[in-house]
């Protein structure tokens, strides 16, 4: 049994723990929060008795084998490196860190200490994304990838009323690109690798983060256009256009139905059974990698994580988004 500690007592942690209940050989044994009251309250929901308010104490504890990090983006690197240096396996929420320099530091710490580090990008590990990869050849030479993830943030209403919450605060390395845009960039990288050129534009908010944006990415024989927003809403599917047909993916952030529309008008549904919790697959991958003694996922690879954050760094540079973490 792999004993898991969690950092972060927010809704994403609660959703992840719903998935943990479905995964064999993984059990929650410890909770961290900055306050003892919040740690105890959260732990009580899951009948967990070990809580921490000190990260160093938690990292050196012999009561956990691994940690799931779901704190604000700006904290990911410091917290992950601390646990990696204490020989704890780390599953870190996306985006892995504030910038490429931090991601490189995390990867180096994992390699030096012989433990697993994996970015918790759920979509690329879900069965329907695997179906996309396996059937991509059916549409022939790929010429265009268009993806959109625009989800109006409930915190934007508070922002418009003068309250800047974490989601729109550059201190936490947040904003539309970091929190939403990664969902359209990471799958692109997983499918097609590193682009030759990145051209980005976006709408800056007064707080210093982007509210929405778009990126044109150029490859040798194809181009990609991705859009993302926390201030508008859209249900537009992702489309991969090939010379023989197009592949349509519903909800790129957690691939649901996937169809191929061929040039002759025929449609092939390539969706596969996917009835587990959406975060089950990443949790299961994490456990299996630990059990097999592997130090890197074959799916959410170090290369994919690093290329993705490098694209985001360049996009931020062009849009004008600068985080305090960039100055360190």
């Amino acid at each position: 049994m792999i004993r898991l500690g969690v950092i972060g007592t927010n809704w994403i942690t609660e959703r992840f723990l719903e998935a943990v209940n479905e995964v064999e050989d993984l059990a929650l044994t410890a909770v961290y929060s900055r306050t003892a009251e919040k740690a105890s309250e959260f732990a009580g929901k899951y009948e967990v008795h070990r809580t921490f308010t000190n990260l160093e104490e938690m990292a050196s504890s012999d009561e956990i084998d691994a940690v799931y990090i779901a704190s604000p983006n700006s904290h990911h690197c410091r917290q992950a490196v601390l646990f990696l240096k204490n020989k704890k396996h780390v599953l870190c929420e996306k985006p892995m860190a504030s910038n490429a320099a931090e991601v490189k530091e995390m990867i180096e710490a994992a390699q030096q200490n012989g433990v697993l580090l994996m970015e918790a990008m759920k979509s690329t590990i879900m069965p329907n994304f695997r179906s996309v990869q396996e059937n991509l050849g059916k549409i022939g030479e790929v010429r265009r990838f268009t993806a959109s993830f625009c989800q109006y943030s409930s915190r934007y209403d508070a922002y418009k009323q003068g309250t800047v919450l974490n989601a729109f605060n550059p201190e936490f390395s947040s904003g539309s690109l970091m929190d939403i845009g990664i969902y359209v960039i990471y799958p692109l990288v997983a499918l097609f690798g590193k682009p030759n050129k990145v051209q980005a534009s976006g709408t800056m908010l007064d707080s210093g983060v982007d509210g929405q944006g778009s990126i044109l990415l150029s490859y040798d024989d194809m181009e990609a256009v991705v859009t993302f927003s926390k201030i508008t809403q859209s249900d537009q599917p992702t489309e991969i256009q090939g010379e023989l047909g197009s592949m349509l993916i519903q909800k790129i952030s957690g691939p649901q139905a996937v169809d191929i529309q061929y040039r002759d008008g025929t449609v092939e549904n390539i969706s596969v059974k996917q009835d587990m919790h959406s975060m089950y697959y990443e949790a299961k991958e994490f456990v299996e990698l630990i059990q097999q003694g592997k130090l890197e996922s074959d799916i959410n690879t170090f290369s994919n994580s690093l290329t993705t954050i490098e694209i985001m760094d360049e996009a931020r540079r062009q849009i004008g988004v600068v985080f305090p973490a960039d100055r360190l």
Side-chain angles (χ1 to χ4, degrees), residues 146-154 168 175-177 179-185 201 203 210-215 225-238 251-254:
T146 59
S148 170
F149 187 23
C150 301
Q151 182 172 280
Y152 188 91
S153 171
S154 59
F168 293 102
S176 177
L177 173 64
D179 297 340
I180 296 289
I182 189 171
Y183 280 111
V184 289
I185 298 170
S201 63
T203 301
D210 61 306
Q212 65 177 7
S214 60
I215 307 175
V225 181
V226 300
T227 58
F228 43 90
S229 175
K230 297 183 79 170
I231 58 177
T232 62
Q233 184 78 28
S234 174
D235 294 316
Q236 181 179 336
T238 288
K251 197 174 181 182
I252 191 64
S253 61

Side-chain angles (χ1 to χ4, degrees), residues 11 55 64 98 104 170 173 194 198-199 208 226 261 287 314-315:
W11 66 271
L55 280 174
I64 63 170
S98 299
K104 289 176 182 177
S173 302
K194 188 173 184 176
V198 173
Q199 297 170 267
V226 300
Q261 298 181 346
V287 168
E314 177 59 22

Side-chain angles (χ1 to χ4, degrees), residues 134-207:
E134 292 174 348
N135 288 278
L136 195 59
K138 292 181 178 179
I139 64 172
E141 186 76 19
V142 173
R143 295 304 188 186
R144 180 173 288 111
F145 174 99
T146 59
S148 170
F149 187 23
C150 301
Q151 182 172 280
Y152 188 91
S153 171
S154 59
R155 294 164 180 82
Y156 187 51
D157 289 336
Y159 178 86
K160 288 189 290 185
Q161 293 169 6
T163 302
V164 181
L165 300 173
N166 290 9
F168 293 102
N169 189 341
E171 293 288 332
F172 297 106
S173 302
S174 58
S176 177
L177 173 64
M178 298 294 281
D179 297 340
I180 296 289
I182 189 171
Y183 280 111
V184 289
I185 298 170
Y186 201 107
L188 170 69
V189 170
L191 290 171
F192 303 106
K194 188 173 184 176
N196 299 325
K197 186 177 180 182
V198 173
Q199 297 170 267
S201 63
T203 301
M204 286 290 293
L205 302 179
D206 290 340
S207 66

Side-chain angles (χ1 to χ4, degrees), residues 10-138:
N10 49 36
W11 66 271
I12 191 70
T13 306
E14 292 184 341
R15 289 204 62 201
F16 179 73
L17 291 176
E18 290 173 7
V20 168
N21 287 333
E22 301 174 359
V23 179
E24 293 182 4
D25 300 326
L26 182 62
L28 176 67
T29 58
V31 171
Y32 166 83
S33 183
R34 287 173 295 174
T35 67
E37 293 78 13
K38 194 163 187 178
S40 296
E41 179 186 353
F42 190 87
K45 296 179 185 178
Y46 302 95
E47 299 182 354
V48 172
H49 304 291
R50 191 67 174 101
T51 61
F52 294 90
T53 56
N54 182 289
L55 280 174
E56 286 76 11
E57 182 184 349
M58 185 181 186
S60 62
S61 170
D62 59 5
E63 298 176 74
I64 63 170
D65 307 301
V67 66
Y68 168 71
I69 298 177
S71 54
N73 303 334
S74 57
H75 297 333
H76 288 182
C77 179
R78 177 180 59 84
Q79 293 173 346
V81 169
L82 173 63
F83 280 83
L84 292 166
K85 287 182 175 179
N86 279 272
K87 311 294 184 182
K88 302 297 192 291
H89 305 289
V90 173
L91 178 62
C92 186
E93 261 306 330
K94 57 82 211 159
M96 185 96 90
S98 299
N99 51 47
E102 290 188 347
V103 170
K104 289 176 182 177
E105 182 182 349
M106 293 162 70
I107 292 171
E108 184 177 326
Q111 292 173 331
Q112 288 179 346
N113 291 280
V115 284
L116 171 65
L117 169 66
M118 189 180 95
E119 186 165 11
M121 173 54 70
K122 66 177 182 179
S123 56
T124 45
I125 298 181
M126 294 175 74
N128 272 315
F129 188 78
R130 182 65 59 88
S131 182
V132 169
Q133 291 175 306
E134 292 174 348
N135 288 278
L136 195 59
K138 292 181 178 179

Side-chain angles (χ1 to χ4, degrees), residues 298-315:
D298 293 330
I299 305 170
N300 288 357
T301 63
F302 292 158
S303 176
N304 285 345
S305 292
L306 188 55
T307 297
T308 297
I309 198 68
E310 287 174 342
I311 291 170
M312 293 165 70
D313 280 357
E314 177 59 22

